[in-house]
Amino acid sequence: SFAQWLAWLGWSADAWRSMTATHADGFAEAYANFVCNTPPYSAANGAADFWLVTRTDRPAWLTVADALTTNSFPVRAGTGRIRLRAAYGGPVSLTLDPHPGTLAQTPGATNGLWLCEMRVEPFGSNTVVFSDGVTPPAVPGDPDSVNGLLLSAPQPGTTVHSLASPPPTVTFQPLRMTDGGAVLGNGGWYCLCASEPSCTWPNYAMIGCDPVSMAMNSVDGGTPILSKADARDIYAERYPCIQCTVTQTVANATYPFIYGKVIFSFRQCEAIGGVRGAEQVPPLHEPGYSDQSLCRAIGCVCDDGPRWVVGFDHWLVNTRNLNHPTESPESDKYINHCLGVVWSVESLNLVDLCESCGLDLSSLAVWDVNGVRQTLSTLDLGAEPPDLEPTVYRIKMLQASNPSIVWDQFILMVNNRTTKTEYDNWVTRWSAASNQVWLAELPVAYNNTFGTTTNWLGFVNTQAHPEPNGNSVFWETREEPGKFFHHTSKWEMRSVRTAGKHGHQACYSISGVIVTTGVGAGTADFGHWTNFYRGGHSHVEYDVEPFVRALQLDGNPCKRISLKHLDHAIIYQGVNSDKYLDCRPTDPNNNGFLSPGQPQP
């Protein structure tokens, strides 16, 4: 009875009404706290949503068990619909029990019959529910991905059950059918030429399409996913362009890929010989010479005469090794090289930075600096810029016969002579063992920002602080780091100020996992960030400015616009930033990292 339920739970009637009410998003309130505060459920990553429709003549205890965890909570009598979320990676079981425990343990309880129906239904238009061996129903629209709920057995068909019999259960396997699409070619492209024998072209055999699906589409393994003639039409419509990328929808009845998109790229034949620019031969953009110019398409059989690829020498300029999704200006995303130099009264001859393959670039190339066409290949570096305010040049090598074609480009950072002197002296000072003793004061960082507690009902609560019991003793509250300073890290935690007025910083990915290497990692701080108003060594002078100098000397077009923000994303981690990380380590005591809930050693 309802009174027996309240006695078993230890709830009041008001608590029952509150915890079994439907959340605004369709979740039961007793379940919403878990879903909304526990990764990966909170972001719906790696999980599928669905409806559970119930009809019972009495309250019941719902248990949801998936690949990651098990949750239980009560549902009201009558007809209802509850939104649930299950993790991919393993079977999911849903059990509806009218009487947890045994009848003998509950005063006044007797055996008998009870009315219960339950069924799983799709949550959204991109979700399908189907049984093993059955072709899934068509999905309306053109979604990027499809969630499939593959039932392991038919859903309970019996309406009336005995209280003494096992409770009704639904078991299914959640499947992510796609995650946006399968890319063919491993980053390469296919050739549009009409050569004989013909070049490789994407077909149904490449995506592992099964005979049933191919029969549904009236194709076989050798059938092109997109005909080469149609691809040529697409290319002509987009002219002028170098490369086209298309997305084709395909169906496949083999689990778990029942529906998806195939993405691939194509170009005109590149076996043309002659002189080209490194910018035109991705992905490496590498200058060089070949006595035979192959097309370089996937499976292409075309070839032509010798080819020279000219561009900036990778031994003399730095090649980008970092990318940021919000890098701006947008045009900088396509600049693959950078270089940091120290100002000099001498002009810089841009040809000296190039690999010309023995050709005379003075007749083949012209130069563009910050949007201005140059009459010579020599660049006057202008007046010496201030420390930490380098002069930024964006330099393009253009094809002289057709200056709209960019052969190669790079970013040149011209630094004040003091910048290098200051930084070299800083590295010498802080790499000395005698100047690393202070690191022993710093607390050990946590390998994840998420700590957990379990309430009296057994529900797991996730909180954004990993210290024992969620207390902030050695570490401050988690927040977002300054823009671009820690590359793509999503979170940071800073330690409280030590006795010596030092600090430690830990950075984390969007999923809360600590970043331990590279410029995205957090580092030790000789000056705690609060010293500017509490007294002590300046965090800006001892930690921030040396890091900015390291970036600029490596050729990054970065300037500090505040204590926390850079004006540009970091595009290259080089020898100077590596030296900084050696002096300001992520793991200052070589103690490793703590798990959430562990106390400091």
Side-chain angles (χ1 to χ4, degrees):
S1 70
F2 181 65
Q4 290 170 327
W5 270 101
L6 295 183
W8 183 75
L9 287 167
W11 288 1
S12 66
D14 286 341
W16 172 275
R17 283 190 289 270
S18 173
M19 296 301 285
T20 59
T22 301
H23 186 266
D25 293 327
F27 298 111
E29 286 292 349
Y31 180 65
N33 181 63
F34 168 79
V35 168
C36 296
N37 295 288
T38 305
Y41 301 94
S42 56
N45 292 326
D49 282 12
F50 59 95
W51 292 111
L52 178 67
V53 179
T54 61
R55 184 168 74 100
T56 73
D57 63 358
R58 69 200 67 199
W61 188 249
L62 175 64
T63 299
V64 183
D66 67 5
L68 296 184
T69 189
T70 297
N71 273 279
S72 297
F73 55 93
V75 295
R76 296 179 181 180
T79 300
R81 188 172 74 155
I82 303 171
R83 180 179 174 183
L84 300 175
R85 184 171 290 168
Y88 301 110
V92 177
S93 65
L94 310 173
T95 303
L96 205 57
D97 195 335
H99 191 284
T102 63
L103 293 170
Q105 294 174 331
T106 306
T110 59
N111 194 5
L113 300 177
W114 75 299
L115 173 69
C116 174
E117 293 180 305
M118 59 187 298
R119 68 180 183 274
V120 172
E121 293 184 350
F123 172 73
S125 60
N126 71 329
T127 304
V128 292
V129 178
F130 58 102
S131 298
D132 194 11
V134 175
T135 301
V139 179
D142 195 23
D144 285 338
S145 64
V146 175
N147 284 326
L149 306 181
L150 174 58
L151 297 172
S152 304
Q155 304 199 58
T158 304
T159 303
V160 179
H161 308 263
S162 167
L163 288 175
S165 64
T169 299
V170 175
T171 304
F172 63 87
Q173 175 79 41
L175 305 171
R176 167 162 277 174
M177 307 313 177
T178 73
D179 190 10
V183 179
L184 293 181
N186 194 28
W189 53 277
Y190 297 89
C191 179
L192 278 175
C193 70
S195 62
E196 290 294 339
S198 61
C199 300
T200 299
W201 189 256
N203 57 48
Y204 280 84
M206 292 182 181
I207 60 174
C209 219
D210 63 285
V212 174
S213 297
M214 288 190 288
M216 292 167 55
N217 290 281
S218 302
V219 299
D220 58 30
T223 304
I225 295 173
L226 172 72
S227 73
K228 194 171 288 190
D230 289 342
R232 291 195 188 98
D233 291 341
I234 294 172
Y235 186 86
E237 291 173 1
R238 299 183 185 178
Y239 184 83
C241 68
I242 295 177
Q243 179 171 302
C244 288
T245 299
V246 296
T247 301
Q248 299 297 113
T249 300
V250 296
N252 190 338
T254 299
Y255 308 134
F257 304 105
I258 66 164
Y259 178 92
K261 295 177 183 294
V262 175
I263 304 168
F264 59 93
S265 302
F266 50 84
R267 298 185 195 173
Q268 292 282 25
C269 182
E270 287 198 346
I272 56 176
V275 182
R276 310 198 74 196
E279 193 79 353
Q280 297 167 281
V281 288
L284 299 178
H285 306 278
E286 183 86 46
Y289 169 79
S290 174
D291 58 6
Q292 183 182 32
S293 62
L294 300 176
C295 180
R296 298 183 185 275
I298 299 169
C300 190
V301 296
C302 309
D303 65 79
D304 207 337
R307 178 168 70 170
W308 293 263
V309 178
V310 298
F312 292 108
D313 192 326
H314 288 199
W315 289 101
L316 301 175
V317 298
N318 301 321
T319 300
R320 171 193 288 268
N321 55 21
L322 297 171
N323 290 283
H324 195 285
T326 62
E327 182 179 343
S328 61
E330 182 74 17
S331 56
D332 277 7
K333 292 183 178 181
Y334 307 101
I335 299 179
N336 295 288
H337 305 295
C338 64
L339 179 64
V341 299
V342 177
W343 181 87
S344 169
V345 294
E346 300 293 333
S347 297
L348 178 66
N349 192 335
L350 299 175
V351 173
D352 292 341
L353 299 176
C354 295
E355 171 53 67
S356 63
C357 300
L359 302 174
D360 181 10
L361 289 184
S362 63
S363 61
L364 294 174
V366 292
W367 307 91
D368 179 290
V369 178
N370 289 347
V372 178
R373 187 70 52 80
Q374 307 295 298
T375 57
L376 299 172
S377 63
T378 52
L379 176 64
D380 186 342
L381 300 184
E384 184 173 14
D387 177 34
L388 295 166
E389 292 290 333
T391 305
V392 184
Y393 295 107
R394 288 171 172 84
I395 300 171
K396 295 180 180 179
M397 177 198 294
L398 308 176
Q399 182 176 316
S401 60
N402 185 356
S404 65
I405 297 178
V406 178
W407 271 358
D408 210 352
Q409 54 187 329
F410 82 112
I411 296 173
L412 177 68
M413 298 291 287
V414 179
N415 295 281
N416 185 288
R417 287 170 291 182
T418 301
T419 299
K420 180 168 176 55
T421 302
E422 288 279 341
Y423 186 67
D424 287 347
N425 290 341
W426 183 91
V427 171
T428 299
R429 174 182 178 183
W430 295 103
S431 59
S434 58
N435 277 325
Q436 294 191 348
V437 176
W438 61 278
L439 296 172
E441 288 188 23
L442 304 182
V444 180
Y446 286 86
N447 59 20
N448 198 299
T449 62
F450 297 105
T452 58
T453 60
T454 303
N455 66 14
W456 62 276
L457 278 175
F459 298 120
V460 175
N461 295 322
T462 299
Q463 58 209 13
H465 204 290
E467 291 192 68
N469 300 315
N471 296 324
S472 177
V473 179
F474 293 92
W475 291 91
E476 299 172 354
T477 304
R478 185 185 77 176
E479 63 177 12
E480 295 195 13
K483 187 175 183 180
F484 296 141
F485 253 115
H486 296 279
H487 196 41
T488 56
S489 289
K490 175 63 176 175
W491 306 108
E492 72 170 12
M493 292 185 70
R494 293 179 180 271
S495 73
V496 299
R497 193 167 74 156
T498 68
K501 303 178 181 179
H502 310 302
H504 191 13
Q505 180 188 32
C507 287
Y508 300 84
S509 68
I510 191 170
S511 60
V513 177
I514 192 167
V515 179
T516 61
T517 59
V519 293
T523 55
D525 294 327
F526 184 71
H528 193 267
W529 72 274
T530 61
N531 287 356
F532 76 96
Y533 67 84
R534 298 171 67 185
H537 305 292
S538 167
H539 175 52
V540 172
E541 177 184 351
Y542 285 91
D543 306 298
V544 178
E545 290 182 347
F547 181 65
V548 176
R549 289 190 181 100
L551 297 178
Q552 293 171 347
L553 290 169
D554 279 340
N556 289 284
C558 301
K559 297 180 182 180
R560 184 172 68 89
I561 56 177
S562 72
L563 180 64
K564 293 189 64 175
H565 304 298
L566 294 173
D567 67 347
H568 196 284
I570 305 170
I571 66 174
Y572 178 72
Q573 180 179 329
V575 61
N576 291 289
S577 44
D578 285 342
K579 289 178 180 178
Y580 181 90
L581 295 172
D582 288 339
C583 295
R584 296 288 189 264
T586 300
D587 183 7
N589 296 310
N590 295 317
N591 284 331
F593 303 100
L594 301 174
S595 297
Q598 282 187 279
Q600 289 290 319

